[in-house]
Amino acid sequence: MAMKGKLESVMEVKASADKVYGVFRKTSHHIPNHTAKNIHKVEVHEGDWETHGSIKYWNYTLDGKPEVLKERMLFDDEKKLVTVIGVDGDPLKLYKVYIGKFEMKPKDDGAGCFVTITVEYEKLNPASPPAYKYLDFLESVVQDLGEALA
């Protein structure tokens, strides 16, 4: 049984790539305002809201249960790519490695963008499930952001 996995989804959203990337890059503390059903609170643990490599602490609900994630967020401004590396929290009870990626690409017609969401993981043990619920969760967050920022 494979211990490592990679799941990917491409979504079309109404907001521009700059707006979606910008909220992750500079104002992630506002994300709960746009997707309150999913994310309830985000706080800076180390660094600040905008600095590459800062560590943030997220409170969210997944499958009706409260969860937390402490993560290091990395940015590639040229590609509009956000990488979220889990360093502690609920996903790391199932996975040795948990990485979420969001890449925003403008649509050719300028109306909205495509967001590629990738979840990379390595199971702690063979009984750990694939990370589908985390991919579904991130899709819901991105959908809410796309609507709110349009």
Side-chain angles (χ1 to χ4, degrees):
M1 176 179 279
M3 294 291 285
K4 292 183 179 184
K6 182 177 178 178
L7 306 172
E8 190 170 277
S9 173
V10 178
M11 300 179 61
E12 182 177 351
V13 298
K14 295 178 183 178
S16 72
D18 287 335
K19 283 185 179 180
V20 178
Y21 181 71
V23 78
F24 281 107
R25 179 70 168 99
K26 298 192 181 230
T27 59
S28 56
H29 54 287
H30 290 299
I31 291 176
N33 298 334
H34 304 305
T35 184
K37 72 179 185 232
N38 291 308
I39 299 176
H40 311 295
K41 186 165 118 181
V42 58
E43 300 174 321
V44 171
H45 184 73
E46 286 179 29
D48 58 38
W49 293 110
E50 297 183 31
T51 302
H52 180 80
S54 290
I55 296 178
K56 297 176 184 79
Y57 191 80
W58 298 76
N59 293 71
Y60 57 94
T61 298
L62 181 63
D63 292 340
K65 298 175 190 160
E67 288 197 9
V68 296
L69 174 66
K70 184 176 171 183
E71 54 79 8
R72 179 176 310 276
M73 198 174 280
L74 307 174
F75 306 102
D76 182 330
D77 293 335
E78 186 175 314
K79 292 182 179 178
K80 292 184 179 48
L81 173 66
V82 178
T83 302
V84 175
I85 301 169
V87 296
D88 197 9
D90 289 289
L92 295 172
K93 292 176 183 174
L94 297 170
Y95 310 109
K96 185 186 323 184
V97 173
Y98 174 79
I99 300 170
K101 295 181 181 181
F102 306 88
E103 185 172 12
M104 285 53 80
K105 293 184 180 177
K107 288 177 57 183
D108 290 339
D109 64 6
C113 71
F114 293 105
V115 180
T116 301
I117 303 166
T118 306
V119 175
E120 298 175 13
Y121 60 93
E122 182 177 347
K123 296 178 180 185
L124 278 176
N125 62 62
S128 295
Y132 292 114
K133 72 178 186 176
Y134 289 100
L135 180 63
D136 293 344
F137 173 78
L138 297 177
E139 287 174 338
S140 180
V141 168
V142 167
Q143 186 64 46
D144 288 349
L145 286 175
E147 293 289 325
L149 299 171

